[in-house]
Amino acid sequence: MSTNQKISKKKSKTWIIALICLIVLGGGSFAWYWFNKPLFYAYYTDTFNNPFKPGDKLYITDFLVNKTSTKDFSRYNLPLYRSVRPMNDDEVDKMSISLADKILIKKDMSSKKPYMVECGWAISTDSLCKYRSAFISNYTESRIDNAYFGDNKYLPMIFFIVHPVQKALIRESNSTAPSGYVFDDNLPFYVDASDVQRQDSKNFREIK
């Protein structure tokens, strides 16, 4: 085999290896994107379609404030959220439980992710209707975090930090983190971004 043939064969092998690497890398990138598509979508929506800037007023959507065809909807309260994260090993070790229970909790934590949980506080839409304003807070910033749908199913969603008006703030239950979790922040509260709008409601249901 001549020198030129050897060089040509070596180049062919190099190109084949490079092509295989590109295919593997491309396939891996596509798979990674596919499994993380909801996260990309949430970040894209928050970056390019978030209409709020710091200082803007947040109003609960008309649908959530006013009467609908559902009879029981008149007493709807908008849940507020806080972020929780799985407990770490040190936090589990400090628990007053048996060693066997600690081992089970640590094993179970491997499949858990941080997410937003309803924290026991809510916005009373009855109060908003009484004062005839759906305003709940000024906008400060957003956060992408998981919503939990059971069976280890999580979906990234957009949440807004809020400092809710006191006149509409009510406590529906005790604020406790789910089993195996702890609250991850000291921020007041969050709302689901899809539950608020830029304009105040034009109509308010009558409070009897």
Side-chain angles (χ1 to χ4, degrees), residues 126-141:
D126 279 358
S127 293
L128 298 181
C129 289
K130 177 181 178 181
Y131 292 101
R132 305 192 69 78
S133 175
F135 170 74
I136 60 168
S137 177
N138 290 100
Y139 176 79
T140 55
E141 61 181 286

Side-chain angles (χ1 to χ4, degrees), residues 108-151:
D108 186 49
M109 285 192 304
S110 62
S111 61
K112 295 183 181 295
K113 297 180 180 179
Y115 71 98
M116 287 289 184
V117 61
E118 294 183 16
C119 64
W121 290 88
I123 296 292
S124 168
T125 55
D126 279 358
S127 293
L128 298 181
C129 289
K130 177 181 178 181
Y131 292 101
R132 305 192 69 78
S133 175
F135 170 74
I136 60 168
S137 177
N138 290 100
Y139 176 79
T140 55
E141 61 181 286
S142 62
R143 172 170 174 164
I144 307 295
D145 210 330
N146 291 313
Y148 183 59
F149 294 93
D151 296 326

Side-chain angles (χ1 to χ4, degrees), residues 8-203:
S8 178
K9 188 175 181 180
K10 186 176 181 180
K11 286 183 177 180
S12 297
K13 288 183 178 180
T14 302
W15 277 108
I16 291 173
I17 293 173
L19 181 60
I20 292 173
C21 290
L22 286 174
I23 292 173
V24 172
L25 181 61
S29 298
F30 177 79
W32 185 85
Y33 168 76
W34 182 259
F35 285 108
N36 289 278
K37 188 177 180 180
L39 182 61
F40 276 101
Y41 179 77
Y43 273 104
Y44 177 87
T45 302
D46 188 36
T47 302
F48 296 103
N49 293 319
N50 183 348
F52 298 99
K53 60 182 184 296
D56 284 351
K57 291 184 176 181
L58 300 177
Y59 301 93
I60 293 183
T61 59
D62 292 330
F63 173 75
L64 298 179
V65 171
N66 293 301
K67 284 184 179 179
T68 68
S69 58
T70 305
K71 294 181 180 179
D72 295 335
F73 203 82
S74 61
R75 296 193 62 80
Y76 177 84
N77 294 323
L78 181 74
L80 297 174
Y81 297 85
R82 288 185 64 189
S83 177
V84 294
R85 61 166 176 79
M87 299 176 67
N88 58 42
D89 288 350
D90 290 339
E91 290 165 337
V92 175
D93 288 336
K94 293 178 182 179
M95 297 176 67
S96 299
I97 56 177
S98 67
L99 179 59
D101 288 337
K102 291 179 181 180
I103 293 174
L104 288 175
I105 291 176
K106 290 179 181 180
K107 183 179 180 180
D108 186 49
M109 285 192 304
S110 62
S111 61
K112 295 183 181 295
K113 297 180 180 179
Y115 71 98
M116 287 289 184
V117 61
E118 294 183 16
C119 64
W121 290 88
I123 296 292
S124 168
T125 55
D126 279 358
S127 293
L128 298 181
C129 289
K130 177 181 178 181
Y131 292 101
R132 305 192 69 78
S133 175
F135 170 74
I136 60 168
S137 177
N138 290 100
Y139 176 79
T140 55
E141 61 181 286
S142 62
R143 172 170 174 164
I144 307 295
D145 210 330
N146 291 313
Y148 183 59
F149 294 93
D151 296 326
N152 288 324
K153 295 179 181 178
Y154 301 87
L155 179 66
M157 294 176 58
I158 303 171
F159 294 86
F160 292 158
I161 296 174
V162 293
H163 302 268
V165 290
Q166 294 296 315
K167 63 185 179 183
L169 184 63
I170 59 173
R171 188 162 190 167
E172 296 186 308
S173 62
N174 292 328
S175 181
T176 57
S179 177
Y181 283 85
V182 293
F183 288 112
D184 191 31
D185 58 79
N186 294 316
L187 295 172
F189 301 108
Y190 296 87
V191 292
D192 184 338
S194 65
D195 289 338
V196 296
Q197 61 187 23
R198 289 174 56 85
Q199 296 83 26
D200 202 353
S201 296
K202 294 182 179 179
N203 301 299

